Amino acid sequence: MRKSKLLILLLFMCMVLTGLPAMESKAEESAQGGDAYSELQDENPYRTENVTAMDENGNITEVGDSDGSMTDGDEVSSGSISTYARSSRAAVSSVKVVNFNTKNNAVTEYTEDGTGAAGYTNGDYGADAAYLGTSGGKVKFMMSGVIGWVNASEVEVIDLSQAAVVSGYEVENGRLLHGIVYTMATPGYRTRLDNGPAPSYLSAGVKYYSYDGHYFYTDYGVMISDYQNNTRANSVNPDNPYYNYYQYLPLRSSTSYSADALNAMIGSKASAGSLMANKGSAFIDSQNTYGVNALLMTGVAANESAWGTSSIARNKNNLFGLNAVDSSPGTSASTFASVEACINDFANGWMSRGYLYPADSRYNGGFLGNKASGINVKYASDPYWGEKAANVAYALDAAQGGADYGLYTIGVKDTLASSHQTVNVRNESNTSSTVLYTTGRASNYSVLIKNSTSENGFYRIQSDAVLDSGRTSMVKGSGSYSFDNMYAYISADYVQIVNQGTVSQPEPEPEPEPVPVTLDSITIAAAPSKTVYTEGESFDPTGMSVQANWSDGSASDVTGEISYTTDPLTADVTAVEISYTSGDVTKTASQHVQVKAKAVVTGVMINPSEIDLYPGDVKTFGVSVQGTGDPSQDVTWSVEGAFSSQTVIDGNGKLTVGADESTQQLAVKAQSAVDPSQYAQAVVTVLQKASEEPDEEQPSQPDAEEPGTGQEGSDADTEEPGEDDGQTEPDGSDEAYQSMELKAETEGVSASGEFAAGTELVVTPVGEETEVYQTLVKEVGGKPVLGVFDLSLNGSAKEGSAIQVTFSLDEQYNGKSILILHFPEKDGVSYIERYEMTAQDGSITVEVDSFSPFVLALNEESTGDEAGDGQTPDNGETGDTGEPAVPEDPGTSEEPGTTEDPGTTETPGTTEDPGTAEDPVVQDPAATGGSETTDPADVSGGTGTGQSSGTSGKTTGAAASTNVVGQNKTDTKNADNSQVTAAPRTGDTASPVLWIVLVIAAVAVIIAAVVIKKIRK
């Protein structure tokens, strides 16, 4: 009983140890987590070198960096200040504020709450943010419209009472002014922006707080409470959010000012020498061509270049700091031939084809916006960049009488920063129409509404995207825009109108009668599956796709209406002309083809041409069909001169010499399947084993690798049983060779045999893209290829010795028939040797006498959805051919009453050589020419009387090739794609099997112990 307990304990320990690999794997997976931010780059890093401020009139001044930190080293400046890099505890007795100006003009990255999108800001342009809480070492905040999470070590959280000033809003002279704080350590605003006419619910002389610019509060603590509870119920305007007109006016709008008026407006603000002076025409021209509002572009240019006076503007004609990088903004920024070229590039490349293109990763809405939505999200680290450009636009417009202000109707999706709905934008006013693009998840997303009266519950809006002429899809790569024709629809259920335009947008003019389109050209969009032909074949368009290109810019598929020659192709043809006719117009395109000369067989060669074998030996012959025009290598094999019914040759050229064969000579014949008049013969001399005389030593069972036991490849140099197992030779020349196994672990290939000391196996996988690969796999006849390898030795093997080569396979191929092609070369001629065997224990082994390229293929036709990809067929079959099982090769079968000849006896404890006749491979009789059968008369091809009519088998390549090339071209390609190295076995897959074995073993031991104990009693 004590032994049983020890065995149970041992079993438990084995199970624990076996499970460790799986647990380790899971631990490695869980260690992959962690924060990751996408790289964020200010489009104009010049602003991080020279900090600027702006007043309500649009005047820009350089103010320099500021250190806004409210702590002194590791000590807090007041007992009520909490640095959250050190403590995550917040006092509940006072309202807190987040300080972002802690890094002296450096970017701080954050993650948006609700979307996980990465964002960035610069504390030197906006220091304070609303504090919403702390969790997991991160601070939740709200600033410039965005709710986000920032690492606590990047910011400071202080009591509101300790801040000398925080950002806020005031009404002066009927206008809403926004004061922005750069440092909370000293009172006063560094920037004050004019948002335009103040809404009626705001009063002069009152300080208002808001970190989204839409809902205003007179009490800072009440605002924080509302933010934390995701409501605006206690704001001054809970049902009427405010939106700064120019900040949320989509850039897909136009100014009413002329180029001359714009020049006058710029001249009133820009100083002498400004590169913006007299550039009104450039702004207006770009607006009319690329659909980007000229007044808003002017506001951006003024903010980016300090009204055209920055060093980048003066030295490089670059008003926007385009293509500058953080490390060297002054030297890396793009240089333009003229200021006009810069404005054109900004409108076309950066806006129309960039920030305004909904499929662009930078798209968050087509308006200036803030850090929650619009261009400001990705364009600038300054959180108030969009509001500053809007401030300039308003100042210019107001100076000219305000002709543009409030002109357009603006609608907004998701007026709360915590809401992130994605809404479809369609080409018509119904849900069955085409979706042109989506809004994305940005909150406070604005659209320009062309008609405030909805149509079927949809608003007609100005499309952010450039559309094709039929408004059926976005156009990528073109910035040209039409205000009249590029409109779309969005559901009114998701949009709230926040500004009612002063003028209604006119209805689009009726579409003109379509102009008849004409055929411009045709292009071959996809080449046909077959482009290589043999002389005399006709062109096959299968798989080809032809596209017609029309005068209106559209294209259509006309593959089914094309014309081409059906005449037999000749060797001088290099292209086939494809034509298509529409009306009276015919267009053509050329499809390249390769036409090979017709194959002519001029001879057949067999390797080896002469060989000595013993009864019971097995040998696979190689063949090479010679000729012109790449002749087929398919041959029909036969053997003549046999007296034994067990002497047969199969369709792969594998000869089995019957154990009772008494003839002295056999003739192996390989006859071309294409031209039967061409054949070759090999002479096989059958040597009879000498009679064994008794000696003093006890006879022993033959070893599995001992020659003469039916192992494939034995020849006249094979030693007789009872000799020294091939380790020594009388002349002592074999002392330089040793029996060893060479391994190429990475490729999963090994070779066993007699090699010189220090010999290494070199395995080179042959890539699919190479011409050699295509030449070699052609011979598998469309079967799924598992691998192609070129084997060689860095050293030498003993001449004439047999070599067992083993290939590792994925275990999904266990029990399946594998075709191995070997391409030995002799005297400058490359031969093909074919082997078929069943994969077992994740490998196959073949015996050869030389190294050269090998091709491994699944021995079944590729259908694109079978075992080549490891999937089980729907009918539950495992890849068998469906034919009855064929008995083992008669040459190695154990027949009742036969003498235990060492050449045929299966020695207990020895391992059968994979690939020999002992393997119970299921083969299709049709494929092997019916050579394997249980009837000796059928096998011998005669009456079984010993006449030398012989047996024959035809290689399977011809039939297989015909079927695959004609029907499964695509499937063959899919099969090739599955040629991946088998994944190494891990604890995750091996553990269950090992557990079951251990459990069974333990139970057996326990039962045995109990039985023995009872017996002893």
Side-chain angles (χ1 to χ4, degrees):
M1 182 61 68
R2 181 176 301 174
K3 292 181 179 179
S4 300
K5 291 181 178 179
L6 289 174
L7 287 171
I8 293 173
L9 178 61
L10 178 60
L11 170 63
F12 175 76
M13 293 177 64
C14 290
M15 293 171 66
V16 171
L17 291 173
T18 305
L20 286 177
M23 291 186 285
E24 181 182 358
S25 175
K26 295 297 182 184
E28 291 174 352
E29 291 177 9
S30 64
Q32 300 303 315
D35 293 337
Y37 291 101
S38 59
E39 182 179 351
L40 298 167
Q41 168 72 50
D42 199 315
E43 297 292 11
N44 182 8
Y46 183 76
R47 81 179 89 256
T48 62
E49 281 199 348
N50 301 278
V51 179
T52 59
M54 182 181 290
D55 66 16
E56 59 268 35
N57 296 313
N59 298 313
I60 300 172
T61 56
E62 187 174 319
V63 295
D65 300 347
S66 63
D67 181 7
S69 177
M70 301 292 286
T71 61
D72 182 15
D74 290 335
E75 301 295 329
V76 294
S77 59
S78 169
S80 60
I81 298 177
S82 175
T83 304
Y84 275 74
R86 296 165 43 219
S87 172
S88 61
R89 233 168 16 99
V92 296
S93 60
S94 62
V95 178
K96 304 289 184 181
V97 60
V98 182
N99 179 23
F100 272 85
N101 191 358
T102 62
K103 300 194 295 185
N104 195 27
N105 186 22
V107 166
T108 300
E109 295 181 347
Y110 59 83
T111 302
E112 184 178 21
D113 184 64
T115 67
Y120 67 130
T121 187
N122 187 328
D124 237 357
Y125 284 94
D128 60 314
Y131 171 71
L132 306 184
T134 302
S135 176
K138 293 184 181 293
V139 172
K140 188 177 184 181
F141 69 92
M142 182 174 183
M143 178 179 63
S144 183
V146 68
I147 299 174
W149 292 87
V150 62
N151 287 331
S153 60
E154 299 280 322
V155 297
E156 297 170 345
V157 178
I158 65 173
D159 285 345
L160 178 64
S161 60
Q162 298 303 307
V165 63
V166 293
S167 298
Y169 292 81
E170 297 175 308
V171 177
E172 290 185 7
N173 300 320
R175 295 185 301 174
L176 180 62
L177 302 182
H178 183 195
I180 298 172
V181 171
Y182 285 22
T183 173
M184 291 186 286
T186 57
Y189 300 125
R190 182 180 286 181
T191 285
R192 275 172 43 113
L193 303 177
D194 193 342
N195 280 202
S200 60
Y201 46 76
L202 300 183
S203 304
V206 179
K207 178 68 175 288
Y208 295 97
Y209 302 101
S210 177
Y211 284 101
D212 60 15
H214 310 312
Y215 298 91
F216 301 95
Y217 295 82
T218 56
D219 187 292
Y220 195 93
V222 171
M223 176 185 70
I224 296 300
S225 178
D226 263 13
Y227 287 173
Q228 291 174 334
N229 291 291
N230 195 28
T231 181
R232 303 296 183 268
N234 296 299
S235 66
V236 173
N237 56 322
D239 301 318
N240 190 15
Y242 170 80
Y243 284 85
N244 180 348
Y245 178 75
Y246 283 114
Q247 190 177 354
Y248 287 89
L249 173 65
L251 270 69
R252 293 303 195 190
S253 56
S254 58
T255 180
S256 62
Y257 293 109
S258 65
D260 290 340
L262 198 56
N263 281 334
M265 296 158 70
I266 295 172
S268 68
K269 293 290 184 183
S271 60
S274 167
L275 292 187
M276 290 182 63
N278 298 316
K279 294 300 181 289
S281 294
F283 285 111
I284 294 297
D285 290 344
S286 291
Q287 167 189 279
N288 295 339
T289 302
Y290 302 113
V292 182
N293 189 296
L295 182 59
L296 295 180
M297 281 195 291
T298 302
V300 173
N303 184 34
E304 295 293 81
S305 66
W307 287 102
T309 62
S310 71
S311 60
I312 293 178
R314 292 194 305 270
N315 297 330
K316 298 195 172 188
N317 292 323
N318 193 335
L319 294 181
F320 304 95
L322 302 178
N323 277 332
V325 297
D326 286 328
S327 59
S328 57
T331 58
S332 61
S334 294
T335 299
F336 293 92
S338 64
V339 174
E340 289 81 358
C342 176
I343 295 171
N344 182 282
D345 185 47
F346 177 77
N348 178 19
W350 291 82
M351 292 294 108
S352 189
R353 293 190 290 118
Y355 278 87
L356 304 185
Y357 180 55
D360 192 287
S361 62
R362 298 167 294 181
Y363 179 78
N364 285 279
F367 47 94
L368 295 173
N370 56 14
K371 280 300 178 182
S373 58
I375 299 171
N376 197 165
V377 174
K378 295 289 183 69
Y379 193 95
S381 58
D382 180 354
Y384 301 104
W385 171 89
E387 190 175 348
K388 288 177 180 177
N391 179 72
V392 172
Y394 176 75
L396 293 175
D397 182 32
Q400 294 294 317
D404 273 7
Y405 187 85
L407 180 65
Y408 292 99
T409 298
I410 299 175
V412 171
K413 171 190 77 73
D414 295 335
T415 58
L416 283 183
S418 56
S419 182
H420 300 283
Q421 302 181 91
T422 297
V423 181
N424 292 326
V425 176
R426 300 179 177 274
N427 71 333
E428 299 296 343
S429 58
N430 58 75
T431 56
S432 61
S433 59
T434 300
V435 175
L436 297 171
Y437 59 91
T438 63
T439 61
R441 301 183 65 190
S443 64
N444 295 286
Y445 175 100
S446 70
V447 294
L448 190 157
I449 299 176
K450 295 176 71 68
N451 190 342
S452 57
T453 301
S454 64
E455 307 172 25
N456 301 321
F458 285 79
Y459 286 131
R460 179 183 294 162
I461 64 173
Q462 196 73 58
S463 170
D464 280 344
V466 174
L467 304 179
D468 62 14
S469 59
R471 294 192 309 103
T472 59
S473 64
M474 299 189 298
V475 176
K476 180 180 180 181
S478 173
S480 299
Y481 192 87
S482 169
F483 288 108
D484 293 334
N485 298 326
M486 296 182 183
Y487 58 92
Y489 293 86
I490 190 169
S491 173
D493 295 338
Y494 298 96
V495 175
Q496 178 179 342
I497 293 179
V498 297
N499 184 82
Q500 185 65 55
T502 57
V503 295
S504 59
Q505 293 295 310
E507 292 288 334
E509 296 183 2
E511 295 280 346
E513 289 295 326
V515 177
V517 296
T518 57
L519 180 64
D520 276 353
S521 64
I522 64 171
T523 54
I524 298 176
S529 303
K530 182 176 181 179
T531 58
V532 179
Y533 295 86
T534 299
E535 187 176 13
E537 292 183 316
S538 297
F539 177 72
D540 181 3
T542 303
M544 183 170 63
S545 174
V546 179
Q547 176 180 287
N549 306 304
W550 305 93
S551 58
D552 64 349
S554 64
S556 61
D557 186 277
V558 295
T559 305
E561 305 171 60
I562 59 173
S563 299
Y564 53 88
T565 181
T566 58
D567 294 338
L569 300 175
T570 57
D572 59 343
V573 172
T574 59
V576 174
E577 184 178 88
I578 309 299
S579 64
Y580 170 71
T581 301
S582 174
D584 297 330
V585 180
T586 297
K587 298 294 181 180
T588 62
S590 293
Q591 172 58 53
H592 173 75
V593 295
Q594 179 183 357
V595 182
K596 298 181 178 180
K598 191 172 183 178
V600 176
V601 177
T602 58
V604 179
M605 301 179 71
I606 297 179
N607 182 45
S609 59
E610 295 181 358
I611 190 171
D612 295 346
L613 297 176
Y614 288 96
D617 281 355
V618 178
K619 173 64 179 178
T620 295
F621 289 84
V623 68
S624 176
V625 178
Q626 305 291 303
T628 60
D630 193 19
S632 169
Q633 296 297 307
D634 293 344
V635 297
T636 300
W637 292 94
S638 62
V639 58
E640 299 175 352
F643 289 162
S644 170
S645 62
Q646 297 181 18
T647 298
V648 293
I649 189 165
D650 69 6
N652 293 319
K654 183 175 74 173
L655 173 67
T656 301
V657 181
D660 57 347
E661 182 59 68
S662 59
T663 190
Q664 294 183 357
Q665 194 174 79
L666 299 172
V668 172
K669 182 177 181 180
Q671 189 172 29
S672 170
V674 175
D675 184 357
S677 67
Q678 299 295 328
Y679 62 90
Q681 287 186 320
V683 176
V684 178
T685 300
V686 181
L687 304 177
Q688 297 300 322
K689 295 181 175 63
S691 300
E692 296 185 4
E693 296 182 2
D695 54 24
E696 296 180 1
E697 296 184 6
Q698 193 73 14
S700 59
Q701 295 290 348
D703 187 75
E705 296 186 4
E706 183 177 342
T709 61
Q711 299 298 321
E712 186 172 346
S714 301
D715 55 25
D717 294 331
T718 303
E719 295 169 348
E720 293 294 327
E723 294 185 12
D724 196 308
D725 281 345
Q727 299 303 312
T728 62
E729 292 183 355
D731 58 4
S733 61
D734 65 336
E735 293 181 358
Y737 295 93
Q738 303 174 14
S739 294
M740 64 179 73
E741 181 181 15
L742 310 179
K743 292 184 178 181
E745 298 286 356
T746 303
E747 293 78 14
V749 181
S750 64
S752 299
E754 295 185 60
F755 304 100
T759 299
E760 296 178 348
L761 177 63
V762 180
V763 178
T764 305
V766 180
E768 294 182 42
E769 71 284 354
T770 64
E771 185 177 348
V772 173
Y773 178 94
Q774 301 301 328
T775 300
L776 296 176
V777 301
K778 177 183 64 175
E779 299 303 327
V780 303
K783 295 177 172 61
V785 178
L786 305 181
V788 180
F789 306 94
D790 190 5
L791 274 59
S792 61
L793 290 179
N794 186 6
S796 63
K798 182 178 179 181
E799 185 176 356
S801 64
I803 302 169
Q804 285 77 38
V805 180
T806 300
F807 298 91
S808 296
L809 297 175
D810 194 294
E811 292 191 0
Q812 65 172 310
Y813 299 112
N814 283 346
K816 294 185 179 296
S817 177
I818 306 299
L819 174 64
I820 304 98
L821 300 185
H822 180 216
F823 295 84
E825 185 172 320
K826 182 178 180 182
D827 298 331
V829 177
S830 179
Y831 295 86
I832 302 176
E833 295 175 1
R834 297 173 180 265
Y835 303 86
E836 291 182 18
M837 55 198 60
T838 301
Q840 296 178 353
D841 299 326
S843 67
I844 53 172
T845 300
V846 61
E847 184 174 283
V848 296
D849 53 17
S850 64
F851 289 98
S852 63
F854 287 82
V855 175
L856 280 63
L858 191 62
N859 200 20
E860 59 185 38
E861 299 304 325
S862 172
T863 60
D865 58 359
E866 295 184 353
D869 57 7
Q871 300 297 320
T872 301
D874 293 337
N875 59 9
E877 296 176 359
T878 58
D880 291 342
T881 62
E883 298 291 339
V886 179
E888 295 182 356
D889 189 4
T892 56
S893 299
E894 296 186 40
E895 297 183 2
T898 58
T899 303
E900 293 186 356
D901 189 327
T904 60
T905 303
E906 297 183 7
T907 304
T910 62
T911 302
E912 296 183 0
D913 179 20
T916 65
E918 283 97 1
D919 290 333
V921 180
V922 177
Q923 296 181 341
D924 184 351
T928 60
S931 62
E932 298 191 15
T933 174
T934 58
D935 186 351
D938 292 339
V939 171
S940 65
T943 62
T945 61
Q947 298 300 317
S948 59
S949 57
T951 62
S952 64
K954 184 175 181 180
T955 57
T956 61
S961 175
T962 301
N963 292 335
V964 173
V965 172
Q967 302 173 12
N968 296 324
K969 188 72 174 183
T970 303
D971 296 338
T972 301
K973 180 179 180 182
N974 293 338
D976 289 346
N977 291 336
S978 68
Q979 297 166 28
V980 295
T981 303
R985 300 176 185 140
T986 65
D988 293 341
T989 57
S991 297
V993 176
L994 184 55
W995 289 358
I996 293 172
V997 173
L998 290 173
V999 168
I1000 293 173
V1003 171
V1005 171
I1006 293 171
I1007 293 173
V1010 172
V1011 172
I1012 293 172
K1013 185 176 181 180
K1014 288 183 178 181
I1015 292 173
R1016 289 178 177 176
K1017 289 181 179 180

